[in-house]
Amino acid sequence: MIFFIFALVGAAALRAHEFTDLQGRKLDAEIVSATNDQVTLKRASDGRAITANVSIFSAGDQKFIREYAAANVKHVFEVRYTKKKQDEKKVEGGGSEGTLENWFYVISIRNMSAMGVEGVTLNYSIYMKEAGANGRTPAKVVASGVDKLMGLPRNETGLIQTKAVEVVRLRPKAGYYFTSGEGGKSDQLAGFALKFTKDGKEVYSYATSPGLIAY
């Protein structure tokens, strides 16, 4: 029992850092949370939480806190999007005619994290249900891509544009009909999924519908 208590105390001491303020006062504490501007510390002597501006500490400790903040930021993003048609052309063959359209997404990503983010990689996958697929047929990935959020300050918004994907819309020619009895067949964009990673680790994800995954 004595050894167990000693081990806990020793572990807490190893996590503690000696902070020095601009007046030379010292404090042994562990960082609980931090941003570029503010830090919350847990004092080693009694466990009391202390919140302070990063600017009151020495230059070395300011660097230490900001490096901790960058390595431990909780990534949160607000995602909005619009779907846009790039172009279209008429197509026909056999007993059907229609259009071949190219559609893409413009995705707005707002950084809602406690601080700016750097070096975040964004993978996206676009899903589609092909013409003639029944309601139980799952959507499949028709395009994927990678983008980077090189630097996105807090509350700022970045835009990405996905690759365009082909959407076919067909209808029977006069005097013809589809054997299914349908009046027309159309591919349907089923949405997209996003995966945000940093240093190879997933830090956030988003999908327009449940079950969609970014690859």
Side-chain angles (χ1 to χ4, degrees):
M1 185 67 174
I2 294 175
F3 171 77
F4 179 67
I5 295 172
F6 175 78
L8 287 178
V9 173
L14 288 174
R15 288 196 302 267
H17 174 84
E18 184 181 73
F19 293 89
T20 304
D21 68 12
L22 295 176
Q23 298 180 42
R25 295 175 297 190
K26 299 185 181 297
L27 172 69
D28 288 330
E30 175 187 349
I31 297 179
V32 175
S33 62
T35 67
N36 280 336
D37 304 313
Q38 196 170 68
V39 61
T40 297
L41 304 173
K42 183 169 74 173
R43 192 160 60 187
S45 61
D46 59 6
R48 179 186 171 192
I50 301 169
T51 300
N53 292 330
V54 175
S55 59
I56 73 167
F57 294 97
S58 67
D61 283 337
Q62 289 185 36
K63 181 174 181 291
F64 176 78
I65 293 168
R66 287 176 176 139
E67 287 177 347
Y68 175 94
N72 292 276
V73 61
K74 182 179 179 182
H75 295 83
V76 182
F77 300 97
E78 178 186 79
V79 178
R80 298 185 178 185
Y81 62 92
T82 56
K83 186 172 61 175
K84 296 190 175 184
K85 183 163 63 174
Q86 180 173 289
D87 54 43
E88 70 172 70
K89 64 180 180 180
K90 292 182 178 181
V91 293
E92 62 177 297
S96 63
E97 60 186 4
T99 58
L100 173 62
E101 304 168 357
N102 284 291
W103 288 81
F104 62 91
Y105 289 100
V106 176
I107 304 173
S108 166
I109 300 169
R110 184 182 178 191
N111 178 20
M112 304 297 288
S113 311
M115 58 184 294
V117 297
E118 293 280 350
V120 172
T121 299
L122 175 63
N123 293 70
Y124 66 83
S125 295
I126 301 174
Y127 285 74
M128 181 184 291
K129 277 197 170 187
E130 294 184 332
N134 62 45
R136 295 187 299 275
T137 303
K140 69 176 187 178
V141 176
V142 291
S144 294
V146 180
D147 213 317
K148 286 200 177 279
L149 303 178
M150 299 306 295
L152 193 59
R154 184 180 179 222
N155 289 327
E156 292 295 314
T157 299
L159 293 175
I160 68 163
Q161 180 177 311
T162 68
K163 298 174 181 177
V165 297
E166 292 184 345
V167 175
V168 178
R169 306 187 193 280
L170 297 175
R171 60 186 177 274
K173 288 182 178 178
Y176 289 83
Y177 63 90
F178 292 130
T179 56
S180 63
E182 297 173 281
K185 294 183 178 181
S186 175
D187 295 332
Q188 296 179 8
L189 283 176
F192 62 86
L194 306 176
K195 179 171 68 174
F196 300 76
T197 60
K198 184 171 183 179
D199 301 326
K201 179 182 177 182
E202 183 175 330
V203 295
Y204 195 77
S205 62
Y206 174 87
T208 57
S209 300
L212 304 187
I213 301 171
Y215 294 96

